[in-house]
Amino acid sequence: MDQDPDDHVQCGVDPEELRHFQEVLCSFCEYGVCMAYEGTRRVHAVREIPVTDRTLLPVDSLLNADAAAFFAAAKRNAEFFARVAVGQGIFDPEVISSQTFAPLMDARNVLNREPGGAAAGHGLGSALPGVPSGESPYVVDFGRRLVTSPHNQRKVHQTLHSVAREWSDEGAAEREECFTPLIQELRRRLPLGAGERFRHRVLLPGAGLGRLVAEVVSAGYRAQGNEFCYQMLLTSEYILNGLGDTTWELHPWADSCTNEVRRGDNVRGVRVPDIAPQELLDFDESAGHGLADDDSNVIPPFSMTAGEFMEVYEDRVAFWDSVVTCFFIDTAPRITEYIRALYRMIKPGGYWINLGPLLWHWAPSLPGNPAHSVGSQLDRRNLESVELPFDYVEAAIVAAGFEMLNVEWRNVHYTHNVRSMLSSQYKVVFFTARKPAGA
């Protein structure tokens, strides 16, 4: 039965939250449109090369084979994200089909149209001679203003890079650098005896696409991930629950046009996922898993929560045996709030295990920029951001009551393209802190 969109308010759904969620879905659906614009730009730029310079370059390949490879990669990615968006069938038809969120209907059209069949709108392939129309990544209406903000579109590209990091063979080296040390330290601090599988509760805030959470569960711990970014959450939900036994070939670096060594490096495909999530999450839902019968706060062996970390867990006290943070603590505007929250929610004798940099996500992108001055319309967290060196952070951790057990420094990569001339490498801090048993 159709409902008025205002009924969401009566059902307890915040209108702003609903709109944000819809905008996130639109960012998935407009991925293909944005890539179509980029493909058009590239082809146009080649066509504008002076005739005298064309003899120096493989223009025919740039306009045909290379362009076709780009559009084919973009189309495959767009289809994947369309399935992620359309799979969220929780919105009323009137809301989805409204003019404001027309991209949601575009996604449905992409998935429902016959292969090779005509679709309404301006097909990109027809606008580019030499590019097979079947390789157009999306049905593009060049006269329509995009709903997606640049901020949300960047998140979609970042999510695609994270898919490669967490759920492809190509990301195995990064996972070995970042995930393996955390799991080894968890096993060292909270060893499991016979019959103790899923006895210990582990929280992983900033869980991304859920791979580290799944690996912790596979190691025998009762793990819950928390993620704030809806693009990450919805994509992880699709990978964990929507793919079944199937895999996708995605092209995570197709958005990049720089630092390419050889033709085709940036449009190469990776298979996702590299392992069926069910193989990592192989447990009996009905079993007690080592918890006492009188435990009134049982959580499933694997679970994910959505929302801002401080809000979601504001009532948790002495609950977690360990909190594992991977590339997370620098998302705090004020790290002291995270430190006090972690101390509150970890059980006496429990552990905080961390690996990551101090990028400080809410820091001004340009010091002294008036846009970051007091009284601006930016997110309040930009104005509250306090950027600290690690020695200050370490002192705050100890002052809050933790015992610092070890501190190491490691060089790790983060969502880097292994074939690119540019890679992101961090010198991260890897530490373990304990809440005293008598606290």
Side-chain angles (χ1 to χ4, degrees):
M1 184 176 84
D2 291 344
Q3 286 181 295
D4 189 284
D6 290 338
D7 289 346
H8 287 288
V9 178
Q10 301 173 12
C11 295
V13 178
D14 181 84
E16 286 302 314
E17 184 70 12
L18 176 62
R19 183 174 183 82
H20 172 64
F21 200 15
Q22 290 170 320
E23 288 174 351
V24 168
L25 297 182
C26 287
S27 71
F28 286 134
C29 298
E30 289 190 328
Y31 168 87
V33 182
C34 293
M35 292 295 280
Y37 286 144
E38 171 58 15
T40 302
R41 182 201 66 78
R42 295 185 189 186
V43 170
H44 176 75
V46 173
R47 287 174 174 168
E48 292 297 306
I49 296 174
V51 174
T52 54
D53 290 345
R54 289 193 173 202
T55 57
L56 305 178
L57 298 171
V59 172
D60 182 69
S61 179
L62 288 168
L63 289 176
N64 291 278
D66 294 359
F70 170 82
F71 290 125
K75 178 183 178 182
R76 190 61 174 161
N77 292 345
E79 289 174 347
F80 175 81
F81 282 133
R83 291 183 184 278
V84 172
V86 173
Q88 301 298 315
I90 63 174
F91 294 104
D92 302 320
E94 289 184 8
V95 178
I96 293 180
S97 61
S98 67
Q99 184 176 3
T100 305
F101 298 107
L104 300 182
M105 293 306 295
D106 283 352
R108 286 183 166 179
N109 293 337
V110 166
L111 298 179
N112 291 335
R113 71 179 183 226
E114 293 296 323
H122 302 283
L124 182 61
S126 63
L128 302 177
V131 177
S133 60
E135 303 304 332
S136 171
Y138 222 68
V139 181
V140 182
D141 180 356
F142 288 102
R144 191 185 76 205
R145 179 181 177 184
L146 295 181
V147 174
T148 307
S149 67
H151 172 73
N152 272 323
Q153 198 56 52
R154 281 193 298 272
K155 285 189 174 183
V156 174
H157 291 295
Q158 290 165 0
T159 298
L160 193 56
H161 300 167
S162 291
V163 171
R165 168 182 165 85
E166 296 194 32
W167 290 103
S168 79
D169 283 335
E170 197 166 286
E174 279 193 30
R175 295 195 298 273
E176 183 68 21
E177 291 175 345
C178 298
F179 295 177
T180 299
L182 292 168
I183 295 172
Q184 289 175 341
E185 181 69 357
L186 185 63
R187 283 173 163 160
R188 185 163 79 96
R189 299 298 180 179
L190 293 174
L192 297 171
E196 290 187 325
R197 191 179 186 215
F198 302 131
R199 174 184 178 184
H200 298 299
R201 301 190 191 100
V202 180
L203 174 66
L204 298 97
L209 297 172
R211 178 61 178 263
L212 180 55
V213 187
E215 295 283 0
V216 169
V217 171
S218 182
Y221 298 88
R222 186 175 297 266
Q224 182 171 94
N226 168 251
E227 179 55 50
F228 178 73
C229 174
Y230 270 127
Q231 280 89 350
M232 291 282 196
L233 278 164
L234 300 185
T235 303
S236 68
E237 194 278 334
Y238 183 65
I239 292 173
L240 292 167
N241 301 311
L243 284 178
D245 295 328
T246 62
T247 62
W248 272 78
E249 182 178 69
L250 296 178
H251 306 267
W253 315 109
D255 60 297
S256 175
C257 59
T258 61
N259 290 303
E260 191 174 25
V261 177
R262 293 180 177 83
R263 182 184 68 182
D265 281 354
N266 288 352
V267 295
R268 71 186 185 280
V270 299
R271 300 302 304 185
V272 174
D274 62 306
I275 181 174
Q278 292 77 11
E279 293 185 33
L280 296 174
L281 305 175
D282 182 20
F283 54 80
D284 180 1
E285 295 271 5
S286 63
H289 306 296
L291 286 182
D293 293 337
D294 60 353
D295 194 319
S296 59
N297 292 302
V298 172
I299 60 172
F302 174 89
S303 59
M304 292 283 289
T305 63
E308 207 282 322
F309 166 68
M310 294 290 290
E311 295 177 2
V312 173
Y313 298 100
E314 62 181 349
D315 297 326
R316 285 297 193 195
V317 178
F319 184 80
W320 302 100
D321 296 288
S322 178
V323 176
V324 175
T325 51
C326 183
F327 277 75
F328 173 73
I329 64 173
D330 54 0
T331 64
R334 295 174 181 152
I335 187 62
T336 51
E337 295 180 353
Y338 276 16
I339 293 171
R340 290 194 181 279
L342 291 170
Y343 189 83
R344 165 177 46 81
M345 65 180 65
I346 293 175
K347 290 180 180 180
Y351 299 92
W352 173 14
I353 305 172
N354 173 81
L355 185 148
L358 295 179
L359 187 60
W360 302 123
H361 291 232
W362 297 101
S365 57
L366 180 64
N369 188 334
H372 293 274
S373 62
V374 176
S376 75
Q377 298 301 309
L378 291 181
D379 192 300
R380 62 173 179 80
R381 289 168 288 193
N382 293 115
L383 307 178
E384 295 175 352
S385 180
V386 179
E387 302 83 36
L388 301 174
F390 179 69
D391 59 342
Y392 284 18
V393 173
E394 182 179 17
I397 292 171
V398 174
F402 282 105
E403 301 169 342
M404 192 65 80
L405 301 182
N406 63 277
V407 177
E408 302 176 20
W409 298 92
R410 299 186 176 217
N411 293 322
V412 305
H413 293 87
Y414 189 83
T415 61
H416 83 297
N417 179 352
V418 297
R419 295 192 193 175
S420 173
M421 299 165 67
L422 175 69
S423 66
S424 298
Q425 186 181 63
Y426 292 89
K427 180 180 180 180
V428 299
V429 61
F430 177 39
F431 70 75
T432 301
R434 179 175 58 199
K435 182 175 179 177

